[in-house]
Amino acid sequence: MADGDDGTPGAVPVEVGGNTVAEDVMVTPADEESPPPGIEWPAELPVLPLKGTVVFPEAVAPLAIGEERSIRLVDDVMDREVRRLILVTARDADTPEPGPADLYDVGVVATVEKMLRVPDGSMRVLVHGGERVRLTAFPSDDPFLVATATQVPDVMEESDELKALARNVQGAFTRVVDLVPYLPDELQMAAANLEDPSTLSYLVASSLRLPVTEKQELLEEARVSQRLRRLSEILAREIQVLELGARIQAEVEQDIEQGQREFVLRQQLKAIQDELGEGDGAEITELRRRVDEAQLPDEVRAAAERELTRIGRIPDQSAEHQVIRTYLDWILDIPWGTYTEDDLDLERARRVLDEDHYGIERAKKRILEELAVARLKGDAAGTVILFSGPPGVGKTSLGRSIARTLGREFARISVGGVRDEAEIRGHRRTYVGAMPGTLVRAMRDAGSMNPVIMIDEIDKMGADVRGDPSSAMLEVLDPAQNSTFRDHYLDLPLDLSKVLFICTANVLDTIPRPLLDRMEVIALPGYTDDDKLHIARQYLVPRQVEATGVPADAVDITDAGLGAVIHEYTREAGVRGLERRIGALLRRAALDIAEGREGTETIGPDEVRDMLGPERVHPEVMRRTSEPGVATGLAVTGAGGDILFVEASVMPGKGSVVVTGQLGEVMRESVQAALTCVRARGGEFGLDLPDDFFGTHDIHVHVPAGAIPKDGPSAGITIATALVSALSGRHVSPDVAMTGEITLTGQVLPIGGVRDKVLAALRAGIHTVIIPADNEGELVEVPDEAREQVTVVLAGDLADAIPVAIADAG
C-alpha cells in the first residue's frame, strides 16, 4: 500500500512504518521516449491504495513500497508488457490494509516508469498518472486488489469564462509561489506556458499542500470550469493567509531586537491576537470559558468577572498578571455547586462501622444516633464531632469510616503545632507567596462542597505573635456562622455549613472553652487486653501480612503469642505499638522465608521473646511500693490512662515541706491540703506522733518522673496515702491504686477519666482501685471484662481509702 504527505516537487521519496509514501507529485508533459498513458487498458487492473496523497492525471510521483501485498502487486505489474495499475486514495489513512469499501471511487490509471529495489526489501517506483477512472467492480482481492474501471474524461467547453478562469488561476498561482518558500520558482514558468486549462488545473492542484479530501474533490470534478473555479477560491484563501502571516512577521520584526528569541515569540503571538480581535489572548479566553461553565454564586461570579477585566489590561510580563491568574485559578478550583448525596442507611452504617472497628460500642452508638437525626432532618450537616482519646484508638480511621458510610468525599488537615492564624484563614493577596488557608485547600482536594473534613490534633494548636489559630477555628466550627466563612486570600463568602467537621484530640484540657463548646464530644477510651487481642487478630495481623509480603499460610501467630506481645512488650491505651511489634515479628519471619524456610512457622510466647528480645515492659508496682511512703496513683495523659507514683519521705529538720517533680500549681496545693488533713486527723489513721513532730521534721514529696510536668487535683488522695505511709512506717499495698481530689477536711471529690484510669490499673497488674464515691455512675463505661478483674472501692472520705491502701492503718 502507498501512503504519503504532499511535499516539494523534486524531493526524494521516504518510507514510513513499512508503508509507501508519495513525498512529491509533479505534473509534467509525457516523455516522448515512453508512450503516454494509453487510451485503452486491460479489462482488469491491479489497484494500489494510497494513503495521505492523491495522484492527478499527467502527474509524475515517486512512491516507496514497503508492504508485502503492495510489493507483490508491483512485481506482477513489472512482469507485464503494459505496466499499468490504478492509483486510488484510501478514505482513512489509518486503515492498515484498505478494502474496496475503504477506497474512494475515482482514481487514475498510471504507468510504472521505473522501479528500484533497496537492501531493506522495499522498493522505489516512479509512476506517471494517466486517465481518470471510476472503479466499478473488484473481481479479486487476493493476493492484491484487482478492479474494473470506466474512464471519466474531462468536460470542457471553450468559452471566455474558461479563459478568464485559467488566467485568474495562473496569476493567483504565481502569487502563491512568490509567498511560499517550499515551491520552486520554475513552477511559475511552467504554469504560464500551459495553454490547456485541464493540465493547468492538475499542475496547481498537485503543487499545493491541501487536505486529501480537497484534492480528491478536485480529482473527481470532471468539469474543467468548475475545477478552475474551486482552485480560484482555494488560491484566494491561501494568498490571504500567507499575506497576513507575512504582514504579522514584518510588524513583529520592526519591534524586536536581534537575538531576543523569547521576545520575538511573544510579539508574534500578540500580533496574531490583535489581528484576530482576541486581545485577551488564549489564556484569558480559556479562563472566560471556565468562568462561564462554573456554577459560581453571584458574588463570586462578579469578583471573577472583575478580575478577568483587570488581567486583560495588564501585560503578561507583569508580576500582577500572575497574581491575578493564580487567584482566578483558586476560585475556579473550588467545587462551587457540587454536592454528593448522603447515604443515610443505618443498617449499612452499622455494618461499615463494625467492619472497620472492633469494640468502642458507645462511640459507634453515638455516631449512629447522629446519623439517625440526620436521616430525620434529611441533612447530616450542622454537627461538629470531636473524637477524644489516647493515640492509637482509631480516631482518624473512624472519621474515614463515617465518610464511607455517608458516601461523602474525605479530606484531612492536621493543625497540630499550627501557630499562624493564616494557616486557617489564608494570607491576604498583598503578600508575596500568598495562598488560601487549609480549609479552602481541603475543599478543593475533596471536590465537593459537603465533604467530611477531619481536623486532626485540634488540642495541639498554639498561639504566638502571628495570631491565635484556635480563635480562627471558632467561625469555622460554628454552624451559625460558617455559611459565610471568608478566607483572607479569596475574600469571598465560602459556605461551610454543609461540611461535616470531625475533630480529634488526645486531651480536652488544652482546647479553649469557647471552641470546645461548639463541638459534640465522643470519648474513645483505651482498649482492654481482650479488645487488643481481637483487634490484632482481625485487623493488625492481616494488615502487616500484606505490608511485609509474607504469605498468609507461612506464619501463624497464636493467641498466646499475641498475648505475650500485649503484656510484655506494650503498655498503651491504643494499638499502634502493638502493630509495630507484630510488624517486627513478621519481618523476622520474612527473613526466614527469604533464607529458604518452608512450611508454616508457628509463633508462640517463646518465639515472641526470642524474636523481640528481653521484655520491654516490666511490672514495677511491687518494687516501687516495697518501701513505706510510696503510693500508686492513677492519671490521664495525652497517651491515655497511666499510673504514677507519689513518694513521701520524713526526716529530722526544721518543719519545712519540699515538693519536687515539676508539679503545677494545682498539684502543689494538693500536697498542702493533704498534709493539713493528715496532721489534723492523724489519730484516725493510726499515727501516734509527738506534738512537736512536724516542727522538728522535714517532709519531702516527690512525683517521678521528674522531667515530666504534672498538674491537676486528682492526685490528692494518693498524696495523703503516701504521707500516712511515710509517717506511720507502714507499706502501701502494691495491688492498690487510687485517684480523687481531697479537701482539707478529708472529703474525696469526683474526678474525670474513670474508664481510662481503671484500664491503666489493669495494664499495670493492679486489681484494686479506689475512686471517689461520686464517680460510681461512670463505672458503667468500664468494659464488663475489665470490671470482672478489678475490685472498685468507693471512697467518700479519706478514712474510706486509708484502711484499704494500708491494711493495718486506722
Side-chain angles (χ1 to χ4, degrees), residues 568-579:
E568 300 176 17
Y569 292 90
T570 62
R571 181 179 291 171
E572 58 179 348
V575 292
R576 282 207 184 103
L578 176 59
E579 184 171 10

Side-chain angles (χ1 to χ4, degrees), residues 180-192:
V180 177
Y182 66 81
L183 293 179
D185 295 337
E186 290 78 2
L187 284 176
Q188 293 181 342
M189 186 64 68

Side-chain angles (χ1 to χ4, degrees), residues 132-149:
R132 180 176 56 238
V133 295
R134 184 180 302 277
L135 305 184
T136 56
F138 291 86
S140 174
D141 61 358
D142 186 33
F144 43 76
L145 290 176
V146 176
T148 60

Side-chain angles (χ1 to χ4, degrees), residues 384-386 458 477 503 511-512 514-521:
V384 179
I385 299 174
L386 171 63
I458 198 170
L477 300 182
C503 306
I511 302 176
L515 185 60
L516 186 62
D517 185 59
R518 285 164 166 78
M519 297 183 281
E520 184 74 22
V521 179

Side-chain angles (χ1 to χ4, degrees), residues 362-363 365-367 369-371 373 382-388 402 458 477-479 500-505 508 511 513-524:
R362 292 179 63 84
K365 183 178 179 181
R366 185 68 185 83
I367 293 170
E369 290 172 356
E370 290 290 343
L371 295 181
V373 172
T383 301
V384 179
I385 299 174
L386 171 63
F387 291 138
S388 67
I402 293 176
I458 198 170
L477 300 182
D478 191 342
L500 178 59
F501 288 102
I502 299 177
C503 306
T504 69
L508 302 180
I511 302 176
R513 185 58 53 183
L515 185 60
L516 186 62
D517 185 59
R518 285 164 166 78
M519 297 183 281
E520 184 74 22
V521 179
I522 299 179
L524 295 177

Side-chain angles (χ1 to χ4, degrees), residues 214-230:
E214 285 193 1
K215 285 196 172 187
Q216 183 67 27
E217 291 175 2
L218 292 171
L219 176 65
E220 293 178 359
E221 181 56 66
R223 294 169 297 174
V224 177
S225 59
Q226 290 299 322
R227 192 186 310 145
L228 290 173
R229 190 180 302 278
R230 177 60 180 150

Side-chain angles (χ1 to χ4, degrees), residues 647-689:
E647 301 175 346
S649 181
V650 180
M651 68 209 78
K654 298 180 180 181
S656 63
V657 178
V658 179
V659 180
T660 57
Q662 283 211 56
L663 305 187
E665 193 64 32
V666 174
M667 203 163 182
R668 288 179 176 273
E669 293 177 354
S670 295
V671 173
Q672 295 293 338
L675 180 58
T676 300
C677 178
V678 170
R679 291 181 64 179
R681 301 176 58 182
E684 297 181 34
F685 309 135
L687 299 180
D688 185 13
L689 303 175

